Amino acid sequence: MAVRIRLTRVGATKRPSYRVVAIDSRRPRDGRSLEILGFYDPLTDPATVKIDADRVNAWIAKGARPSDTVGKLMRQAGMGSGATATAEAAAKPKAAAKPKAAAKTTRTRKAPAKAAATAEATTADE
């Protein structure tokens, strides 16, 4: 199971607030989460961010990957040293994709054969 640490939207219409949750990556944005790890309220000035660092680090140790937004919130909350370094190590870029096989150069075409046959038929009629 691929676990992500990401935001789930809560709150009223036009008044968003978010929970930081550990959730299976195949679930929808507001689907059932495995654990609530904190919250984020962007409407306050400054934005309120509260994240349980111990639980986040425990999930990262188990292989969970934080989303880009949660990574930024973790740095904002002062968790930048250990958690994001581990997350960045887990999110190493993969090896470059292999080039696709060359396109076929020879193709059998029926259209030119038909065109030649009709051209011969018209010349034979004359």
Side-chain angles (χ1 to χ4, degrees), residues 38-122:
F39 65 88
Y40 166 58
D41 186 2
L43 299 180
T44 60
D45 190 30
T48 305
V49 179
K50 184 174 185 319
I51 299 175
D52 186 357
D54 294 334
R55 295 306 306 149
V56 169
N57 289 332
W59 276 105
I60 290 174
K62 293 176 188 175
R65 295 179 52 199
S67 67
D68 295 337
T69 305
V70 171
K72 291 175 188 176
L73 292 175
M74 288 166 48
R75 284 190 293 278
Q76 185 178 344
M79 298 176 47
S81 58
T84 54
T86 308
E88 290 170 2
K92 288 181 184 176
K94 295 181 180 179
K98 295 180 182 177
K100 292 184 177 180
K104 293 181 181 178
T105 56
T106 59
R107 298 174 75 182
T108 57
R109 292 187 176 176
K110 294 182 181 178
K114 284 184 178 179
T118 55
E120 290 177 16
T122 55

